Every structure is written in structure tokens, then in C-alpha cells.
Amino acid sequence: MRTPFGSAVLDAACRLLVPFVLIFAVYVIAHGHDSPGGGFQGGTILAAAVILIRLVHGQDAIWGLTRVGALRLACGGVAVFAGIGFLSLLFAGNYLDYGVLPLPLETVKVRVMGTLGIEIGVAMAVTGVLVLIFDALTAWGEED
Amino acid sequence: MWENLSGYLNYWLAAVLLLIGLYGMLGRPNLVKKLMAMNILQVAAILFFIALAEKTGATAPIEVKGLHDVSAYVNPLPHALMLTAIVVGVSTTGVALALLIRIHRHFGTLEEPEILERMRL
Amino acid sequence: MKAVTWVVFALAAGVLFYAASDLPRVGDIESPASVHVSPRYIAKSHDETGAPNFVTGVLADYRGYDTLGETTVIFTAGLACLLILGVRLGAGGDDK
């Protein structure tokens, strides 16, 4: 974004809106077991918050996600997902079989924890990738 | 008559959407319009799968306390598949837009006949 | 050229509307899609995965490998966007 839509009204609205959007995103990710929601949806809402900041403040926003940060988030999300899979391989289970993870809980609760872990990984990957796509599509003409 | 037809209405609507998308991809020369048509086609496929999941009188696939009947919930499998399909659709649209930007930088136009003309030169 | 396009279009339309009449009716409880594996998901998902939301249970637990593939696909799409457009990573923000 070379020219952000910065103005006093947009700035105030953005400051008011973003914390609630973030809280709602965390709720959607964490409550995906009992209600509609999960990693994909929550990650998209998180990316919407970041893109809102990008639209209002442009690339030089003080808070928000940098490009390198978004790339790291995307890589980290896929790594978390695959890592939990390998972790269950390490504890003599099948790949992505969360029931064998050594947590002091009953098996079903351990599965819930494993599912929550990969939902967080998916949400990180989706957030990072959507922010990266937005950045790539709006970065043209930046060099000149 | 209506009773007989209404069971297929969702499929027909999905087919009409798919045909709109197909027409846009085959018949329009502008690449951005082709991309929009591809998105419509994708929505048609998603709606078709969601229509397949439907059961008469069933509720959303989230367990309600005390309701254990299998026919009381719609089929969760197409919902799970389409959830990922939507996100993958968003990212394919992103890649397609990036390619369109490159094409526009290289040829200076997004009209297919003009691009073909310039490729021959 | 145009004529060929319209012939293909008309053929596709005919095939689609003809095929729709062979499908199970919308809302059919006994449709093949609803009697193969999905009763198991609905009946056992809460006990086996701990998720009352069956969609999450199917997405993250029964078909977790599938979801890993999807995540890899969107990750690859993001990287492809960056590489196609040649975006400089360091340009955004104050990251060192």
C-alpha cells in the first residue's frame, strides 16, 4: 500500500474496532469445538484485522504485522501442524494421532488439546498467507 | 407437481451458477472477468456439495444435548470439505490475481485477443 | 470459433440438467452420501474426539492429514504470490 486511506475518523474507528476483532478471532479459534468456528475462520478474521490496519495506516503502521512477520507466521503455522503430527509419531502413535500425547488428562481430553493445537497452527498459517497475498497484490509500484 | 420438482431445485440452481461461470470463462475476452467467472463456478460447486449434505428436518452438525439420532443432524462431511475448499479458493484467486498483474505489466493489457496479438509479434 | 464455444456450452448445460435428475432428492435421509461414513462421524465424533461440533471433529481429527495438505496448499499459494510478483520482504514496517 503506497497511499493508505489515513484520516482522523478512520484512525479512531480502526483503533476502536481492532481489539474487538482480535478478541472475536481468538474466540472463534478457541471455541471451534463447541460452536461454528475453527482455525480457518478465526485465521481469516485475524487477517481481516491486520488488513484493516494496513488499509488505514499503510505499510508504516506501528502496530500490525510486518511482511517478514507474516511469512514467519505462515511457516510457523505449517510447522506447528506438522510438528504435532511428528510429536505423536514420537510417542509411538500414528501420524496426527493425538491420543498418545503424554498430557496428564484422559484420552479424549488429550485429543481435544491436539485438535486445538492444530487449529492454532491452521489459524497462524491462514493469517500469514492472507496478509502475504494482500501485501503482494498491493505492493506494485513500490520500487519507483 | 411442485412437490416433485422442489427436490431438484437446488441442483438446478447450482447448475445455472456453474453455467454462468462456464460462459464467463469461455465467452468473455477479459481475463479479470474470466477470473470472476471462475469464482462463480467455484461457488456453484460448493453450493452443490452443501445441497448434497442436506437432510429434511435436520439441524446443524453440532451436538445438541440429548439428541443422539443420526438423522437429526445434516451430513458433516461435505461441510468439512467445503470449508477447506473456500480457503483454497481464496488463495488460488490470490495467485491468479498475481499472475494477472504480471501479465498486465508485460503486455500492458488484459484483453485476451490483444495479448494473443502481441504474443505473435 | 464462437459457434464451437456455444456448442460446448449447450452440451454442458444439457449434461448438467440431465444428470441432476439422477441425483438423490435434496433432503433425502437415505441418500448415498448420508449412509456411508457420515453416520459414524455423527454417532461417535463426540465420544472419540471430544468435539461436539462434528465439522471440527471431521476436519481436525478424522481427516487431519487432509487438512495438513490443505494448509500446505494455501502456504504454497502465499509463497507463489510473493515469488510471482517479486515483492521485497524487508520493505514492510520496521522489522530488522
Side-chain angles (χ1 to χ4, degrees):
Chain A
M1 293 293 290
R2 260 195 311 182
T3 50
F5 309 132
S7 79
V9 177
L10 281 179
D11 187 46
C14 169
R15 275 164 202 275
L16 194 67
L17 208 55
V18 165
F20 292 104
V21 175
L22 292 179
I23 291 287
F24 184 62
V26 172
Y27 162 74
V28 166
I29 295 169
H31 213 253
H33 278 86
D34 306 318
S35 65
F40 286 104
Q41 299 94 319
T44 315
I45 297 172
L46 268 179
V50 176
I51 289 174
L52 177 66
I53 298 173
R54 287 275 153 91
L55 284 175
V56 175
H57 291 275
Q59 268 318 327
D60 45 32
I62 298 171
W63 34 300
L65 198 58
T66 62
R67 249 177 231 173
V68 180
L71 186 58
R72 279 181 195 148
L73 201 65
C75 294
V78 179
V80 164
F81 200 147
I84 289 176
F86 278 115
L87 209 61
S88 48
L89 213 56
L90 210 61
F91 290 103
N94 286 321
Y95 191 67
L96 288 170
D97 179 13
Y98 326 113
V100 298
L101 296 179
L103 294 174
L105 294 167
E106 49 186 312
T107 314
V108 173
K109 295 284 181 209
V110 174
R111 291 195 86 87
V112 171
M113 286 299 137
T115 314
L116 187 62
I118 70 156
E119 294 277 9
I120 290 171
V122 168
M124 286 164 67
V126 170
T127 310
V129 165
L130 288 185
V131 172
L132 278 182
I133 288 177
F134 177 81
D135 268 357
L137 292 182
T138 55
W140 63 295
E142 199 170 66
E143 287 82 7
D144 11 286
Chain B
M1 180 65 185
W2 175 244
E3 284 299 307
N4 218 5
L5 289 183
S6 65
Y8 300 103
L9 197 62
N10 291 29
Y11 302 134
W12 291 341
L13 290 179
V16 167
L17 271 180
L18 198 144
L19 288 174
I20 291 173
L22 199 64
Y23 167 72
M25 290 189 78
L26 289 176
R28 297 277 103 195
N30 190 304
L31 290 180
V32 177
K33 285 180 183 168
K34 276 183 198 290
L35 178 58
M36 288 159 74
M38 193 184 86
N39 274 317
I40 295 175
L41 205 149
Q42 183 196 3
V43 168
I46 290 171
L47 279 178
F48 173 68
F49 269 72
I50 296 299
L52 277 182
E54 178 65 23
K55 292 179 190 168
T56 307
T59 179
I62 296 170
E63 186 157 292
V64 182
K65 277 214 168 51
L67 191 56
H68 294 294
D69 192 10
V70 167
S71 63
Y73 302 103
V74 299
N75 188 354
L77 188 54
H79 289 247
L81 297 178
M82 289 308 107
L83 184 59
T84 51
I86 290 169
V87 180
V88 169
V90 169
S91 36
T92 49
T93 308
V95 174
L97 283 173
L99 285 171
L100 290 191
I101 289 176
R102 279 310 285 256
I103 289 172
H104 190 268
R105 266 191 214 161
H106 194 262
F107 291 106
T109 177
L110 285 175
E111 299 291 326
E112 200 185 340
E114 290 180 35
I115 292 173
L116 292 176
E117 190 66 29
R118 277 169 218 204
M119 279 169 76
R120 261 183 233 117
L121 294 179
Chain C
M1 178 59 204
K2 276 289 171 196
V4 175
T5 306
W6 282 108
V7 166
V8 169
F9 186 72
L11 274 180
V15 166
L16 281 174
F17 281 97
Y18 173 67
S21 62
D22 263 353
L23 286 166
R25 300 169 63 87
V26 173
D28 188 5
I29 295 175
E30 296 294 315
S31 75
S34 309
V35 295
H36 182 43
V37 285
S38 83
R40 151 89 185 230
Y41 291 149
I42 294 173
K44 299 232 178 106
S45 174
H46 195 179
D47 299 332
E48 285 181 347
T49 70
N53 185 349
F54 305 135
V55 176
T56 304
V58 172
L59 189 79
D61 206 315
Y62 289 113
R63 292 179 180 242
Y65 200 64
D66 192 15
T67 311
L68 176 63
E70 304 273 7
T71 314
T72 317
V73 166
I74 61 165
F75 177 65
T76 315
L79 284 189
C81 257
L82 282 187
L83 295 176
I84 288 169
L85 289 173
V87 176
R88 280 180 305 145
L89 272 181
D94 51 353
D95 201 276
K96 60 246 173 239

